[in-house]
Amino acid sequence: MMLLRLAILGWTMALFFTLGLATGQAGSTSTFTTISVGGDQFYNWDNLSTSCACSNNVDWPVTVIFRQNASVNSAKSAVGLSLVGSSMYHRGNDGAGWFWDSDSGLKAQFDGASQPERWDYHHMRFYAPPATDYSYNTSWGRYVLATAHIDVDEGWPSAQFGWSETAEEWFAARLRNRGYSVSEDAYWIANNDSWPSGRWASNHYYLNNGYATFVSIP
């Protein structure tokens, strides 16, 4: 019985990481809007699909901005993780027209959660124009937008997702420990949702103070 259980669990994990199972429908927010900086525009949340850049099609708020000399690859290298997740989508305009970008992001399993039954992760996704892999304006230089959240019991009926502010703090600490210049809560991005008490919507927990963290990529 134990061997059968382990075999089934191993197959399930392989299928999960191969297909990148989606984290469910996060629903809607009242803080979905466009942000304008240096001639650029972008939405302050990412979306579940490209069918609509709208408030009832959101996943998670933008909480981290990599800037100075950032690209998607350099931002991911700075974070320094190898696990990937499921893809979401982001809408922006880098001065040359509106675009959609898609990213599956990078994930880190919680410390002490090495057992296969415990699928708890910090998860970050990175967005920029696909043609260049970075956005540019004179205020931020080359920059990349990122969302962050926590996955709890991912892939199980008990799965829960959210805690964006907590995830932002975790990634900020990780990047600082890896030698990068980090300014937490440095830019008002107007996607504050249920701060500071948080709110549940199905199995999603919204918690964000509306300020994004800057990370400088040399």
Side-chain angles (χ1 to χ4, degrees), residues 92-109:
N93 185 343
D94 190 32
W98 288 94
F99 65 87
W100 283 102
D101 188 32
S102 173
D103 189 62
S104 56
L106 297 175
K107 304 169 67 168
Q109 194 171 38

Side-chain angles (χ1 to χ4, degrees), residues 30-33 35 44-45 187-192 208-211:
S30 62
T31 65
F32 185 75
T33 189
I35 302 297
N44 58 357
W45 290 68
Y187 184 78
W188 175 247
I189 200 167
N191 52 13
N192 51 313
N208 191 51
N209 70 3
Y211 288 91

Side-chain angles (χ1 to χ4, degrees), residues 188-211:
W188 175 247
I189 200 167
N191 52 13
N192 51 313
D193 194 320
S194 306
W195 180 261
S197 58
R199 70 177 171 95
W200 285 99
S202 183
N203 63 343
H204 289 68
Y205 187 71
Y206 295 95
L207 180 69
N208 191 51
N209 70 3
Y211 288 91

Side-chain angles (χ1 to χ4, degrees), residues 23-175:
T23 60
Q25 299 296 307
S28 63
T29 181
S30 62
T31 65
F32 185 75
T33 189
T34 55
I35 302 297
S36 298
V37 180
D40 296 350
Q41 289 182 289
F42 58 84
Y43 284 95
N44 58 357
W45 290 68
D46 64 6
N47 292 109
L48 295 164
S49 71
T50 60
S51 64
C52 168
C54 47
S55 63
N56 61 355
N57 185 43
V58 298
D59 197 47
W60 301 117
V62 172
T63 50
V64 177
I65 301 167
F66 296 86
R67 62 176 186 168
Q68 187 177 341
N69 195 31
S71 67
V72 170
N73 285 339
S74 65
K76 289 184 175 182
S77 178
V79 169
L81 300 174
S82 58
L83 293 177
V84 299
S86 57
S87 294
M88 290 297 164
Y89 308 88
H90 184 256
R91 185 77 163 153
N93 185 343
D94 190 32
W98 288 94
F99 65 87
W100 283 102
D101 188 32
S102 173
D103 189 62
S104 56
L106 297 175
K107 304 169 67 168
Q109 194 171 38
F110 277 24
D111 293 340
S114 59
Q115 65 271 30
E117 293 89 349
R118 184 77 180 274
W119 290 355
D120 298 349
Y121 304 93
H122 290 95
H123 188 177
M124 176 174 278
R125 296 188 178 99
F126 308 78
Y127 299 108
T132 58
D133 247 9
Y134 63 82
S135 295
Y136 176 82
N137 64 47
T138 56
S139 298
W140 295 345
R142 295 184 178 185
Y143 69 94
V144 171
L145 306 174
T147 65
H149 66 279
I150 292 172
D151 304 321
V152 177
D153 288 342
E154 188 170 22
W156 297 94
S158 58
Q160 298 175 336
F161 311 95
W163 301 274
S164 294
E165 189 67 30
T166 307
E168 176 188 347
E169 293 170 2
W170 186 90
F171 278 103
R174 176 178 178 83
L175 286 155

